[in-house]
Amino acid sequence: MKYTTIVKTSLAMLWLGFSAPVVLAQTVGQPLPAWQEGELDIHHINTGMGNSAFMILPDGTTLLVDAGALDPTEARTQSARNTKAKPSAERQPGEWIARYIRKVSKTPVVDYALMTHFHDDHMGSPTSISKKSEQGKYVLAGITEVAEFVPVKKIIDRGWPDYAYPRVSKDTMVRNYRTFLDWQVKNKGLRVEGSVPGRNDQIVLLHNPQKYKGAFEVRNISANGEIWTGVGNVTRKHFPELKDLKPEQYPSENMCSIATRISYGKFDYFTGGDTPGVLQPGVPAWHDVETPVAKVVGPVDVHILDHHGNRDSQNDVLLGALRPRVLVIPVWSSDHPGHDVLDRIYSQRIYQGERDVFATDMLEANKLVIGELLNRLKSDSGHVVVRVANGGDSYRVFVLDDRDEDLKIKSIHGPYTSR
């Protein structure tokens, strides 16, 4: 049914004395209607400075996946190669993310924060202009800044408790993050856990789990090269033992990313951090992490591109296994996505059927290089919100204006039928 038909039908229902406020509120130019009990909201937040996705689960439990914050003082960040800060440079990304959360959540709290890996565009790095926390113990950047404005109850990352595999950087960013964790654990009751691949009980519904029992699941797929087999909670090691490798051959930070599948009824969503899948010349086959991950994830409805759609991601096996109907590209650089990646995404040879692709902030530099393929995007700027209907049988995509905090709808897509 066309959107205009839905509006006319709703008006007719109101005339007859029926109420349809939610449908009427979903209008281009109007603010996004509030989340309702039973819906699953996935907000891909565009700050122009890295990845962040805030989710409101069916019973109101909240999940934040990453809170990126690049250094706005760096020459590259200020260049035409990088996106501009959204909505503005008046505040830093962590504060913008927190303000967004407070805007869309009825109870502004982050029940779970999942840090996919230790890179600044996913967790935030201290800069020369970063503020100190209220008690002065650590610097506010990314996730540490989010927690200054919105309570964070539990953090899951790939390194806790020793941050040793395969050799986690001890740079300023990681030191600051660990200082933040220590202080929050001792003073705010924060809980921290290492992601355990195969488990489906690290992130669970907290408010009304029985109502959605058997219908909702967050499954840990992989972390640190340990990958779920698809059977029970059984996993297998994908990387060689470190004792068999030289330090310069150790898995990269991206290769160790946490990958997660979120399921609600018939609906499935996959997020994999910066998981790579396209082999560089001369490297061993185990550098491809996407392929073994894809084989256990299976078909999904929505997929946020691995590694921002960079050239080493979205290999044929991943796309052919996931077959996503909707793909989201989190853009902050002129090489997001690669031209060859877009070719694969749209290829009917890899998998057949329609697909809608949304980018959070496509740069002019990228448009000049890629050309006509980008005309196929459903949106090239804005927050991308996936709203899954009560029960998970269908979903819509809302693109929101990211130039201010009004969260006005730019476009509406769907409804799509979940698989």
Side-chain angles (χ1 to χ4, degrees):
M1 183 183 291
K2 292 184 178 179
Y3 175 72
T4 52
T5 305
I6 293 174
V7 173
K8 290 176 181 177
T9 303
S10 301
L11 288 171
M13 291 172 67
L14 282 175
W15 181 259
L16 292 171
F18 296 99
S19 175
V22 175
V23 174
L24 284 176
Q26 295 176 347
T27 305
V28 172
Q30 295 299 312
L32 179 74
W35 167 91
Q36 301 294 320
E37 167 78 27
E39 295 176 334
L40 165 62
D41 271 12
I42 305 172
H43 296 257
H44 301 93
I45 303 170
N46 181 39
T47 65
M49 295 286 167
N51 276 31
S52 187
F54 178 68
M55 306 182 193
I56 309 177
L57 310 185
D59 73 339
T61 300
T62 57
L63 166 63
L64 179 67
V65 180
D66 289 335
L70 298 171
D71 184 350
T73 67
E74 286 188 349
R76 170 170 172 168
T77 308
Q78 297 174 348
S79 75
R81 293 179 60 192
N82 279 40
T83 55
K84 301 301 181 185
K86 293 291 183 72
S88 73
E90 178 185 356
R91 295 179 171 87
Q92 294 308 299
E95 186 175 354
W96 285 128
I97 293 168
R99 290 169 67 92
Y100 188 108
I101 291 170
R102 295 179 69 89
K103 188 91 172 178
V104 302
S105 180
K106 294 181 178 179
T107 54
V109 63
V110 174
D111 291 310
Y112 300 97
L114 177 66
M115 301 291 99
T116 60
H117 61 295
F118 304 129
H119 277 161
D120 55 356
D121 59 324
H122 290 260
M123 63 179 288
S125 180
T127 73
S128 59
I129 63 172
S130 297
K131 299 176 182 178
K132 285 284 189 74
S133 60
E134 186 176 355
Q135 74 288 343
K137 298 297 184 180
Y138 50 84
V139 173
L140 303 181
I143 185 60
T144 66
E145 186 168 32
V146 171
E148 195 78 356
F149 297 96
V150 178
V152 177
K153 301 297 185 181
K154 182 176 181 179
I155 289 182
I156 298 171
D157 64 31
R158 73 166 198 84
W160 179 268
D162 54 5
Y163 296 89
Y165 184 89
R167 114 187 122 169
V168 175
S169 171
K170 293 180 174 59
D171 60 13
T172 303
M173 178 181 68
V174 174
R175 290 201 308 271
N176 185 67
Y177 172 68
R178 294 187 66 179
T179 300
F180 156 78
L181 294 181
D182 289 343
W183 191 90
Q184 288 278 332
V185 167
K186 293 174 183 176
N187 296 279
K188 295 291 187 179
L190 173 70
R191 292 172 295 152
V192 188
E193 293 182 3
S195 177
V196 182
R199 283 178 55 180
N200 63 351
D201 60 355
Q202 279 195 288
I203 299 174
V204 296
L205 299 180
L206 299 174
H207 306 307
N208 198 351
Q210 287 303 315
K211 183 175 180 179
Y212 303 96
K213 187 175 182 179
F216 183 83
E217 176 188 78
V218 179
R219 174 72 68 171
N220 301 344
I221 302 296
S222 69
N224 296 328
E226 184 177 351
I227 302 174
W228 182 46
T229 63
V231 178
N233 293 336
V234 180
T235 62
R236 68 175 183 83
K237 296 285 189 181
H238 179 64
F239 299 155
E241 294 292 333
L242 295 185
K243 62 181 178 61
D244 298 326
L245 300 173
K246 297 177 182 178
E248 62 268 21
Q249 297 173 324
Y250 285 176
S252 69
E253 184 62 39
N254 285 352
M255 293 166 64
C256 294
S257 289
I258 295 172
T260 308
R261 185 185 68 194
I262 299 172
S263 303
Y264 181 34
K266 296 179 180 178
F267 175 85
D268 291 288
Y269 171 89
F270 176 70
T271 176
D274 279 359
T275 300
V278 178
L279 293 174
Q280 302 303 305
V283 304
W286 56 266
H287 280 218
D288 170 10
V289 185
E290 283 185 337
T291 293
V293 164
K295 290 177 179 178
V296 294
V297 172
V300 301
D301 298 280
V302 181
H303 167 42
I304 179 171
L305 267 58
D306 294 339
H307 200 190
H308 321 274
N310 223 309
R311 291 179 295 274
D312 64 349
S313 68
Q314 272 57 240
N315 70 23
D316 295 21
V317 176
L318 179 85
L319 290 170
L322 270 56
R323 303 197 298 278
R325 178 67 178 84
V326 168
L327 302 98
V328 180
I329 311 174
V331 179
W332 59 259
S333 170
S334 57
D335 55 355
H336 302 160
H339 190 293
D340 48 348
V341 172
L342 270 184
D343 275 333
R344 288 196 293 274
I345 286 173
Y346 284 119
S347 172
Q348 293 292 316
R349 295 187 300 274
I350 295 178
Y351 72 100
Q352 295 188 337
E354 293 183 284
R355 62 215 67 178
D356 290 352
V357 185
F358 301 83
T360 57
D361 205 352
M362 193 60 64
L363 282 157
E364 191 61 32
N366 212 341
K367 294 178 182 178
L368 291 172
V369 172
I370 294 178
E372 290 301 314
L373 267 179
L374 290 181
N375 293 334
R376 299 176 66 177
L377 293 177
K378 292 297 180 181
S379 175
D380 64 3
S381 66
H383 309 298
V384 180
V385 181
V386 178
R387 173 161 289 173
V388 185
N390 195 328
D393 286 346
S394 66
Y395 58 100
R396 284 183 168 87
V397 176
F398 298 87
V399 180
L400 308 184
D401 196 331
D402 58 13
R403 295 172 298 179
D404 55 38
E405 295 184 281
D406 293 338
L407 303 186
K408 289 182 179 178
I409 300 172
K410 293 174 61 177
S411 61
I412 304 171
H413 306 265
Y416 304 91
T417 301
S418 304
R419 296 178 178 177

